Amino acid sequence: AFAGTGDIIIYEKITEDIITKGVTRKNIVRFTNNGWLNIDVITADLNEKYLNVDLLTDQHGINYLDNVLNMAEQNNAVAAINADFFQKLRGTSNRGNPIGPIVKNGQLLSSPAQEEKMAVISVDSFQNILLNYWESQITITAPNGKTAKVKHINKYDPLDSIVIYDRNWGSQSLGSYNNIVEVVVENNIVKEIRREKPPVDIPQNGYIITNLPEYDPFLVENLKVGDTVKLDISINPDVKNLAMAAGGGTILVKDGKVVP
């Protein structure tokens, strides 16, 4: 027998267990000419009435890190698997964010990756699983008609580009020390422009726009208190139709075929 990679299988033992109705775990212990492999495969039948795929995050919020086992136990999941790559906040042990998007119940909690060829796995409201590369563009428009690209929504960033934080991130902003500018927007109106000030409450019906103006002076040159700000978020596919989504790396297999 031969493994899919061309390895010669010398020994193989397969065991299979039912985790719950519609979910099985197969363990494959295999010895090949290139060494040992220990493979776990979770199979889930999403036609089961009480079974669904969900996105797990740390119980403290989307900008906290934890391991898969803890998140599974916190959410009473019967099975869980690693999803996206993540970046860690420098100087901390448990703070960071995923590289790609987070979508839950049709709501965008964090924006797609800016890096090329970063795929996304998503489940729509009909339990269809989708694997694809997303297209996204986020812009803000000032009253004078000038626009600027938003790099991220709800991700840690060096702020060399414009970033937005809303209540999905947490209750407060990161603060505006060290020349950072924070623009507080509520109901699409600029309520405050902050410089060298501590974190501020993020409006329930609004967000914080922030960056370092030495990299991009758009915020300080085009916005003032009382202005109306237009935020445009264009993402394909439409996240409103998704039950969940999480980022990943390169697609390896799609529609039963190896993807280049």
Side-chain angles (χ1 to χ4, degrees):
F2 292 85
T5 59
D7 293 350
I8 300 175
I9 298 176
I10 300 170
Y11 166 85
E12 184 174 78
K13 181 180 180 181
I14 301 175
T15 57
E16 189 167 331
D17 302 302
I18 296 175
I19 297 176
T20 191
K21 187 179 180 182
V23 182
T24 60
R25 169 184 173 266
K26 181 185 292 185
N27 177 245
I28 305 168
V29 177
R30 179 182 293 167
F31 182 61
T32 75
N33 56 311
N34 285 316
W36 285 95
L37 296 172
N38 187 3
I39 305 165
D40 282 305
V41 180
I42 299 293
T43 304
D45 181 2
L46 298 187
N47 291 317
E48 286 290 341
K49 182 178 179 180
Y50 299 108
L51 187 64
N52 69 293
V53 180
D54 203 356
L55 179 75
L56 306 184
T57 60
D58 183 86
Q59 60 184 349
H60 298 98
I62 64 172
N63 56 347
Y64 283 80
L65 304 177
D66 205 343
N67 65 54
V68 177
L69 177 60
N70 287 343
M71 287 193 284
E73 291 175 341
Q74 291 165 7
N75 292 274
N76 297 315
V78 296
I81 189 168
N82 292 61
D84 206 354
F85 295 94
F86 65 90
Q87 58 184 5
K88 188 175 178 181
L89 178 63
R90 183 179 299 175
T92 67
S93 60
N94 69 333
R95 303 295 289 273
N97 60 260
I99 300 295
I102 304 177
V103 175
K104 193 162 187 174
N105 298 324
Q107 186 176 16
L108 181 70
L109 306 187
S110 190
S111 57
Q114 293 295 320
E115 294 78 7
E116 293 184 1
K117 299 300 181 182
M118 299 289 283
V120 182
I121 182 169
S122 58
V123 181
D124 67 16
S125 55
F126 298 101
Q127 296 282 51
N128 297 308
I129 296 178
L130 310 171
L131 292 171
N132 48 17
Y133 297 99
W134 286 17
E135 297 177 1
S136 67
Q137 183 172 331
I138 306 169
T139 59
I140 53 174
T141 305
N144 59 12
K146 292 186 177 180
T147 63
K149 181 181 178 181
V150 176
K151 181 181 179 184
H152 291 309
I153 295 178
N154 294 335
K155 297 184 190 296
Y156 287 113
D157 193 85
L159 301 183
D160 53 358
S161 299
I162 296 173
V163 178
I164 286 178
Y165 296 98
D166 62 21
R167 293 290 290 205
N168 292 310
W169 178 258
S171 61
Q172 289 197 320
S173 71
L174 301 178
S176 60
Y177 294 122
N178 302 316
N179 202 37
I180 292 171
V181 59
E182 287 188 332
V183 178
V184 182
V185 178
E186 186 174 9
N187 294 317
N188 301 319
I189 304 296
V190 176
K191 296 296 184 180
E192 185 180 3
I193 298 177
R194 300 169 59 84
R195 304 291 295 271
E196 301 302 324
K197 291 184 178 181
V200 64
D201 288 345
I202 301 174
Q204 287 283 0
N205 190 26
Y207 47 87
I208 306 290
I209 316 173
T210 182
N211 84 321
L212 283 164
E214 58 261 38
Y215 292 100
D216 185 348
F218 176 86
L219 298 179
V220 294
E221 290 183 353
N222 296 283
L223 296 178
K224 62 182 184 298
V225 174
D227 278 352
T228 298
V229 179
K230 184 181 179 184
L231 175 63
D232 292 297
I233 302 174
S234 175
I235 298 177
N236 186 22
D238 188 349
V239 299
K240 295 184 180 66
N241 299 323
L242 302 179
M244 61 134 296
T250 301
I251 295 177
L252 301 178
V253 176
K254 184 173 183 178
D255 300 328
K257 298 178 180 179
V258 175
V259 178

